[in-house]
Amino acid sequence: MALSETPLAQLPDTVQTAIDKLRGEMGGDGPLRMMVGLWVDQLESLLEDLRLGARHGDGGQLAAAAHRLKGTCALLGAHDLRARAAAIEHAGLDGLPRTVEEDVDRFAVEARAFARLLESLR
């Protein structure tokens, strides 16, 4: 099934708009499927980097993983997730507040839910 035939009604409007824009910029469904697949496939590894950075007080590791997630979330139109990733990135750069592990846990739940929605685009 082509991505253009995939029911996107369950995705937020911002994501639908971003997907349509990326489809045009990338020249069709194939490259877009690959990008979405990479994000979904790399998600758990990046979430683990977030978790380990927060747990071990490694702000650099935390910020680097959050930065990568932030960029892809922005490209895919997931603005709320992008904002959460940006806050986690800043926490890593600014000294890791006590609540950063809770922030990472909340982000992980939301990112996994978003990844499940994107699965229909693969």
Side-chain angles (χ1 to χ4, degrees), residues 61-80:
Q61 180 180 17
L62 182 75
H67 183 79
R68 288 184 62 198
L69 287 161
K70 177 183 75 172
T72 308
C73 289
L75 279 174
L76 293 171
H79 300 302
D80 290 344

Side-chain angles (χ1 to χ4, degrees), residues 19-93:
I19 295 293
D20 289 340
K21 180 180 176 191
L22 285 169
R23 180 183 292 118
E25 290 174 356
M26 298 177 91
D29 289 346
L32 180 58
R33 279 184 197 276
M34 186 169 31
M35 187 186 85
V36 168
L38 284 172
W39 189 83
V40 170
D41 292 344
Q42 293 176 355
L43 179 61
E44 287 304 319
S45 176
L46 289 169
L47 291 176
E48 183 63 16
D49 287 347
L50 288 179
R51 226 175 275 107
L52 289 172
R55 187 175 304 132
H56 298 295
D58 186 340
Q61 180 180 17
L62 182 75
H67 183 79
R68 288 184 62 198
L69 287 161
K70 177 183 75 172
T72 308
C73 289
L75 279 174
L76 293 171
H79 300 302
D80 290 344
L81 270 180
R82 188 216 61 79
R84 286 194 185 277
I88 292 169
E89 178 184 18
H90 289 296
L93 297 173

Side-chain angles (χ1 to χ4, degrees), residues 10 17 24 31 48 55 80 98 122:
Q10 59 189 1
T17 300
E48 183 63 16
R55 187 175 304 132
D80 290 344
R98 286 184 302 115
R122 289 177 81 173

